[in-house]
Amino acid sequence: MLKTETPSRRHPDLDLYPVEQLVAALVDDQFWAVEAVRLASPQIGAAITAALPRIAAGGRLLYVGAGTSGRLGVLDSVELNPTFSWPPERAVAILAGGAGAMFTAVEGAEDDLAQGEKDLLALQPQVNDVAILLAASGATPYVLGALLAARKAGALTIGIANNVDAPVAHEAHCGIVLDTGTEVISGSTRLKAGTAQKITLNTISSALMVGLHKTYGNLMVDLKPTNAKLIWRAVRLTMHATGASEVQARTVLEQCQFHVKVAIVALIKKINTNQAQALLAGADGSVRAALAA
């Protein structure tokens, strides 16, 4: 039996716990998720290293999963646009059972290997694409079908699973095993297996965005200010990076459609926003390189 499906021996009387003990059991078990990701850090690093040149060359991130794993892939894909101004068409997620499975479980959809292959092929994968294939068991047929299609197309494949010897990790170019073990509630991989996958996805996508110069230091300088909160964040980031006053920062940001990178370069180098944009274009979007030019 898979570890993720094996009943935990630590909490056989879970249903008898008082609330305080129940909360402690559920929360404390999550620490194993962090430890599992930490132990897999070398594999995660290798996946990022392999993926970065492909993404830099114009490739897409293609997420594939079923159930919790698939929904986590959707979540990671949609958050890259507001956080890093990453084009939505370059972070695409497919989910066993279709888009509706994001909100309503579609039982049996994950068992269809042929559909996984078909759905991935519908995205017309290319050699610079990076397919991230998620399956707690590591043997979900839908995900394995997508993996097969991605490999045939020459895309880089990253397989993420929560069981040792998982096929999705073995058959991918880059395998990541997050050995989270048994769940407090037997087989409920939305718990620490899902937590470990979420941490791993955050790490991979964030590291790729850092490598693509979407940050300046640890500042989110390529965000898309689509609401009042994010506009104010853009102002604060510009002030922090340049030492400018709120009025100065806002004035320059308004001249460049609130593009924080451009405002930082313009304010520090004391140039106009058009000149700042040109410097950034010549520096592959790197604020540090543009400031050094």
Side-chain angles (χ1 to χ4, degrees):
M1 183 181 289
L2 297 172
K3 271 190 182 181
T4 51
E5 298 295 327
T6 303
S8 172
R9 295 183 178 182
R10 298 180 62 217
H11 302 285
D13 298 320
L14 188 74
D15 59 336
L16 300 178
Y17 288 1
V19 171
E20 293 80 3
Q21 187 178 0
L22 180 58
V23 170
L26 289 165
V27 172
D28 290 351
D29 202 53
Q30 294 291 313
F31 285 101
W32 292 101
V34 178
E35 179 65 7
V37 177
R38 189 187 67 79
L39 291 173
S41 292
Q43 297 100 306
I44 295 170
I48 293 165
T49 299
L52 184 57
R54 298 200 188 209
I55 299 301
R60 299 171 295 169
L61 290 167
L62 308 177
Y63 300 78
V64 185
T68 295
S69 298
R71 294 181 189 105
L72 289 170
V74 172
L75 180 63
D76 201 65
S77 70
V78 300
E79 291 189 341
L80 293 181
N81 177 252
T83 308
F84 299 109
S85 294
W86 190 248
E89 65 273 15
R90 292 186 64 192
V92 183
I94 56 175
L95 183 59
M102 186 71 189
F103 305 100
T104 304
V106 180
E107 302 302 336
E110 69 177 55
D111 299 327
D112 195 335
L113 185 145
Q115 190 63 48
E117 185 173 6
K118 180 180 178 181
D119 288 352
L120 196 286
L121 287 176
L123 299 179
Q124 299 182 320
Q126 306 294 321
V127 294
N128 282 328
D129 289 338
V130 176
I132 302 177
L133 305 122
L134 300 137
S137 69
T140 305
Y142 179 89
V143 177
L144 292 176
L147 169 59
L148 177 64
R151 286 199 62 127
K152 283 182 179 178
L156 178 72
T157 53
I158 300 173
I160 301 174
N162 295 88
N163 284 287
V164 176
D165 298 324
V168 74
H170 273 305
E171 296 173 21
H173 296 103
C174 302
I176 299 171
V177 175
L178 309 169
D179 188 7
T180 45
T182 62
E183 298 285 0
V184 172
I185 298 175
S186 304
S188 184
T189 50
R190 70 185 184 88
L191 298 175
K192 68 173 176 285
T195 299
Q197 289 184 5
K198 178 67 165 67
I199 297 170
T200 301
L201 288 173
N202 280 350
T203 302
I204 292 172
S205 59
S206 297
L208 289 174
M209 294 300 115
V210 171
L212 294 169
H213 313 304
K214 297 288 186 177
T215 63
Y216 173 45
N218 66 348
L219 303 181
M220 186 195 304
V221 294
D222 225 353
L223 79 163
K224 185 178 286 294
T226 54
N227 57 40
K229 178 189 74 174
L230 294 177
I231 288 173
W232 175 230
R233 182 180 295 171
V235 173
R236 285 188 289 111
L237 286 169
T238 303
M239 292 169 61
H240 181 85
T242 65
S245 68
E246 180 182 345
V247 172
Q248 291 173 316
R250 191 176 289 274
T251 298
V252 176
L253 282 165
E254 287 173 350
Q255 294 170 3
C256 59
Q257 292 73 53
F258 280 81
H259 194 169
V260 176
K261 279 185 174 184
V262 175
I264 289 173
V265 173
L267 283 163
I268 291 179
K269 292 188 75 73
K270 298 181 176 13
I271 56 179
N272 65 46
T273 56
N274 288 333
Q275 292 171 315
Q277 285 177 323
L279 283 177
L280 282 163
D284 197 26
S286 168
V287 173
R288 288 192 187 277
L291 292 175

